[in-house]
Amino acid sequence: MSLHVRRICLLLGVISGVGTSSALAADADHGADLAKRWCASCHVVANGQTQASADVPSFASVARRPDFSPERLAFFLLDPHPKMPNFPLSRSEAADIAAYISSLR
Ligand code: HEC
């Protein structure tokens, strides 16, 4: 299997992991724990958090964007992106974080 095909399979796995009815349903509580550990130094992860970087969007504001979807967020987390460190997240962890953020809508 080529690298490219494998990557597509990985991404499809993310989508199915995010679906709420699937057996692999994402775990928003676990996502909250991960977000507090990995993301809270820069983002406001939960209501009531007092410290974060000024120019970084809070997760609640990310969740309320009109174009928000958990699938896109999970993709975003698994792809390298400028301005944010790369996290050693598995695809199920990325799906859990995406589920947590969508629960903030
Ligand atoms: C070192 C600081 C830092 C950490 C840690 C960090 N982020 Fe970010 N994040 C940023 C910055 C800065 C931006 C704004 C990027 C921009 O404006 O281009 C951002 C933007 C985002 C966005 C919005 C992207 C968009 O479409 O505008 C999301 C979603 C996001 N981060 C999720 C996360 C998650 C989930 C974690 C934890 C796994 C995390 N971030 C950890 C700094 C960080």
Side-chain angles (χ1 to χ4, degrees), residues 36-100:
K36 282 173 196 152
R37 181 164 0 134
W38 291 107
C39 322
S41 54
C42 299
H43 290 272
V44 174
V45 166
N47 291 334
Q49 181 182 327
T50 50
Q51 271 194 317
S53 301
D55 297 333
V56 180
S58 75
F59 284 177
S61 74
V62 169
R64 283 194 296 265
R65 288 180 187 169
D67 61 346
F68 175 84
S69 87
E71 292 81 7
R72 284 179 37 154
L73 185 68
F75 282 176
F76 167 80
L77 290 177
L78 292 176
D79 254 351
H81 30 263
K83 295 203 198 170
M84 276 173 45
N86 281 317
F87 306 102
L89 295 173
S90 70
R91 57 203 168 101
S92 75
E93 288 172 328
D96 290 352
I97 293 177
Y100 168 65

Side-chain angles (χ1 to χ4, degrees), residues 8-27 70-72 74-75 78 91-92 95-96 99:
I8 290 173
C9 291
L10 179 83
L11 293 177
L12 290 176
V14 168
I15 295 175
S16 59
V18 170
T20 44
S21 60
S22 108
L24 293 165
D27 179 347
E71 292 81 7
R72 284 179 37 154
F75 282 176
L78 292 176
R91 57 203 168 101
S92 75
D96 290 352

